[in-house]
Amino acid sequence: MKSTEEKKNSFVMKVKQLLDPVLMRLEKIDSKIDGKDRVTRPMYYRNEDLKKIFGFSNNTIIKYRQTGVLPFTKLGDIFLYDSSKIDKILHGNEIK
């Protein structure tokens, strides 16, 4: 007949066997969150990005480009907006 200590150790081992795979999965998920799988911001936005992210209309984007509010680079027919410059504009217009 098993002693109380043996029963306790047997129970602990069974629980450990159940929890080990769960802990391994959690560590894998945690490494993905902290590691390379994190979503990064693009270096440049396109017109469609500005519409989705900031709710700009086509006319607003054109007006901001023409008045110099929105710095841009033109590559063929594509307008590109440096995301770091947009961040600076947003921080510069922050109301405190």
Side-chain angles (χ1 to χ4, degrees):
M1 191 168 195
K2 290 185 176 182
S3 70
T4 306
E5 189 65 31
E6 289 174 332
K7 288 180 185 177
K8 185 178 177 182
N9 286 338
S10 175
F11 175 75
V12 168
M13 290 303 293
K14 288 179 183 177
V15 170
K16 186 178 180 339
Q17 287 175 339
L18 290 172
L19 290 178
D20 277 345
V22 173
L23 290 173
M24 287 175 55
R25 293 280 298 181
L26 288 173
E27 287 173 1
K28 188 175 181 179
I29 291 169
D30 191 43
S31 70
K32 285 185 177 185
I33 291 171
D34 290 336
K36 63 183 179 196
D37 293 340
R38 185 175 291 180
V39 176
T40 57
R41 183 187 60 178
M43 289 180 59
Y44 290 92
Y45 295 123
R46 295 173 72 161
N47 286 342
E48 292 302 316
D49 299 322
L50 297 180
K51 289 185 219 175
K52 287 179 190 173
I53 295 169
F54 301 107
F56 291 165
S57 68
N58 282 329
N59 291 335
T60 300
I61 294 171
I62 292 168
K63 181 177 80 175
Y64 284 175
R65 274 198 319 252
Q66 290 174 342
T67 58
V69 171
L70 192 58
F72 66 94
T73 300
K74 188 172 181 187
L75 186 61
D77 291 335
I78 300 171
F79 291 94
L80 299 171
Y81 310 92
D82 188 327
S83 61
S84 64
K85 289 181 181 179
I86 291 177
D87 284 346
K88 286 180 185 176
I89 292 168
L90 291 173
H91 290 296
N93 289 313
E94 183 177 20
I95 299 173
K96 298 178 182 182

